[in-house]
Structure formats: C-alpha cells, structure tokens
Amino acid sequence: YTVLAAALTITKLSTVISDPINGSTNPKAIPGATIEYCITVNNAAGSATATSVAISDPLPASVTYDGNGVFINGTVTSGVCNADGTNGGSHASGTVSGTLASVAAGETKTLHFRATIN
C-alpha cells in the first residue's frame, strides 16, 4: 500500500501598498501606511490533497486590521500574491483567520488582507 499525506509549506509575505506621504509611489512602512499581508500555503507535488486548511494569524500590536475583507483561496504569480480569491475569512480579537477548502498536490493558495501601521 502507498499512503500519501499532504506536505504543506506556509509563508507569510508583507508589502507596503501606500503611505500618507508618498501615496503608492515608493511607499514606506511608516505610521498610517497600508500594508498587505499574504499567507501562502503550498502543497508539494506528489502529496495528497489537503482539505479544510485552517489559517490563524494574530496581528502584532503595531498594526490595525483595515476591515476591508480577508480573502481566501487566492493565487500567487512569481512569488507575488495576486489580488484575487474570495472574501471569506474573518477578523476577531486581533486575529485574522480563514479556511482554504483544499490545496491539491503542486498547488499554492493564499489568504490575504490589509492593515494600517499604527
């Protein structure tokens, strides 16, 4: 018998989208800046499909969730989180969470959201 298991790799990326001085042109991580967080979940080729992958990310005290949605089941292109996926995660008590329905072998899916630097 051959038994397969999911082999997940999780990475958290952050990108400053805009700041109150420079706007979206070369933005800096300063108070008032908007930062996008992208959590990627990759399942290695040849692995079993992972189902109901729960993600929970406590936010640091230095940022405030912006309330514009937590997007799940998004994609990544060349190491950059795409602005896709569906609004389906949640934020409560300083923690962002969401569940990816499934991550097939060789596939990468994301959870992404934005916050403001305090």
Side-chain angles (χ1 to χ4, degrees):
Y1 294 97
T2 301
V3 178
L4 295 176
L8 302 178
T9 303
I10 295 36
T11 305
K12 184 176 180 181
L13 309 167
S14 64
T15 304
V16 179
I17 303 299
S18 66
D19 74 42
I21 296 172
N22 301 302
S24 59
T25 303
N26 196 22
K28 308 291 185 226
I30 60 175
T34 298
I35 188 165
E36 182 174 78
Y37 290 104
C38 178
I39 299 171
T40 65
V41 179
N42 175 267
N43 193 4
S47 299
T49 297
T51 58
S52 298
V53 179
I55 299 170
S56 180
D57 185 31
L59 297 178
S62 59
V63 301
T64 301
Y65 171 70
D66 78 356
N68 289 323
V70 177
F71 297 87
I72 57 173
N73 296 311
T75 59
V76 174
T77 302
S78 300
V80 176
C81 187
N82 297 318
D84 60 3
T86 56
N87 192 352
S90 62
H91 171 262
S93 302
T95 299
V96 171
S97 59
T99 301
L100 306 177
S102 66
V103 184
E107 185 175 44
T108 299
K109 289 194 176 174
T110 67
L111 175 147
H112 74 274
F113 61 95
R114 291 185 177 181
T116 303
I117 298 174
N118 298 332

